[in-house]
Amino acid sequence: MFSLSFMRYAFIASTFIAVVSGVIGVFVVARNMPFMTHTLSEIGFAGASFALFMGWPALNGMLLFTILSSVMVGQLTIDESRRESVISAVSALFIGLGILFLYLSSKTASSATSILFGSVVGISRHEVYQLVWLSLIVLAVVFLIYRQLKFSSFDPDGAAANGLNETLISVTFLLLLAMSVSVAVQIVGTLLIFVLLTLPAASAKYYTTGTGKMIGLAILFALLGVWLGLYLGYVTDWPVSFFTSTIEVLIYLSALLYQRWATE
């Protein structure tokens, strides 16, 4: 399997994707922002479709659209009373734009399938380098603001009382989330992005409470999903995203059962 260059590239890319997803996912869950991953995934779909229309790499279009839109959508959804309406409106707009750009680009159905469901097995060396650098940037910024991000995510009232610049932290995190969505789309596609950015972290919180331990366990669960998904996809020739999604759901269900058993 590893004698094939595209499988080596896929495993390298999936490893970095899993690490980023595990790290960012813990804060997504803590900040109660799974809805943002869903919204940004649809914005990413429009961005990738726009990139195909322009003749760019899909990742570049996703980055452009998600980064520019993340802060705007984040601000619009602060008011919980209108959050669902805003999400519905934004999702409808960008899904429509994505369909339009795909139509105008005259690409084949396989291009749309790659955007929607992921295509890490077909990743090139250049795309691996781009993805690795992007992942390292996300991880470096998280490392630099880790203490403030942790304080803001797990104790927002205490952070506000201590004068933490919540606006700056929130904007920074939204930008990191936008970059993470663009990275993770390579494996699970825009339709299943929440699988990697929420389920490993949501599973981890049932097994441990410390932030560092949660991050470590979330990374482990994400790695398990993408590595097994790649292996099973190679053996069966079925979509990698199907196996990855199924494995992460099974891990989450086992975490729920463990939590129920532990509280009895």
Side-chain angles (χ1 to χ4, degrees):
M1 181 171 67
F2 288 108
S3 62
L4 302 172
S5 60
F6 71 87
M7 287 304 297
R8 293 197 299 271
Y9 296 155
F11 268 89
I12 293 171
S14 65
T15 298
F16 279 90
I17 290 169
V19 172
V20 169
S21 298
V23 173
I24 293 295
V26 168
F27 297 106
V28 168
V29 172
R31 299 172 79 90
N32 194 27
M33 294 181 68
F35 69 92
M36 275 299 295
T37 66
H38 178 71
T39 306
L40 286 173
S41 70
E42 284 154 351
I43 294 172
F45 166 65
S49 301
F50 178 73
L52 288 177
F53 172 64
M54 297 296 293
W56 302 345
L59 181 58
N60 292 356
M62 284 187 282
L63 283 172
L64 175 65
F65 272 53
T66 56
I67 288 176
L68 291 178
S69 304
S70 59
V71 177
M72 178 191 71
V73 175
Q75 292 300 311
L76 288 174
T77 54
I78 289 176
D79 186 349
E80 293 189 8
S81 65
R82 67 183 183 190
R83 179 175 294 173
E84 291 185 5
S85 299
V86 169
I87 289 174
S88 298
V90 171
S91 297
L93 172 63
F94 281 96
I95 289 175
L97 286 173
I99 293 170
L100 174 64
F101 289 135
L102 278 178
Y103 173 78
L104 293 175
S105 66
S106 301
K107 296 294 181 180
T108 62
S110 62
S111 300
T113 301
S114 297
I115 295 171
L116 293 172
F117 300 107
S119 182
V120 71
V121 173
I123 197 168
S124 67
R125 176 180 292 186
H126 172 73
E127 289 170 330
V128 170
Y129 288 149
Q130 189 178 26
L131 192 147
V132 167
W133 277 111
L134 192 60
S135 300
L136 291 174
I137 290 171
V138 171
L139 294 174
V141 175
V142 170
F143 177 78
L144 291 173
I145 66 169
Y146 177 77
R147 291 181 62 186
Q148 296 92 329
L149 183 59
K150 176 182 173 182
F151 198 10
S152 171
S153 301
F154 290 92
D155 185 14
D157 294 333
N162 281 272
L164 185 67
N165 191 336
E166 177 63 27
T167 300
L168 178 60
I169 295 298
S170 295
V171 170
T172 303
F173 181 72
L174 284 170
L175 294 175
L176 291 174
L177 180 58
M179 295 171 69
S180 301
V181 165
S182 298
V183 167
V185 158
Q186 303 296 315
I187 280 196
V188 291
T190 58
L191 287 184
L192 299 173
I193 190 66
F194 58 88
V195 169
L196 281 181
L197 280 170
T198 59
L199 285 188
S203 302
K205 75 176 183 179
Y206 290 116
Y207 288 105
T208 188
T209 54
T211 306
K213 293 179 180 178
M214 284 176 61
I215 290 174
L217 204 53
I219 291 173
L220 178 62
F221 290 155
L223 285 171
L224 186 63
V226 297
W227 283 349
L228 272 178
L230 281 171
Y231 172 73
L232 292 173
Y234 173 79
V235 172
T236 64
D237 201 29
W238 288 11
V240 173
S241 56
F242 162 72
F243 289 112
T244 299
S245 302
T246 302
I247 291 165
E248 296 300 345
V249 169
L250 291 175
I251 291 173
Y252 180 69
L253 292 176
S254 69
L256 291 177
L257 291 174
Y258 171 81
Q259 192 265 345
R260 182 175 180 180
W261 171 79
T263 55
E264 288 181 352

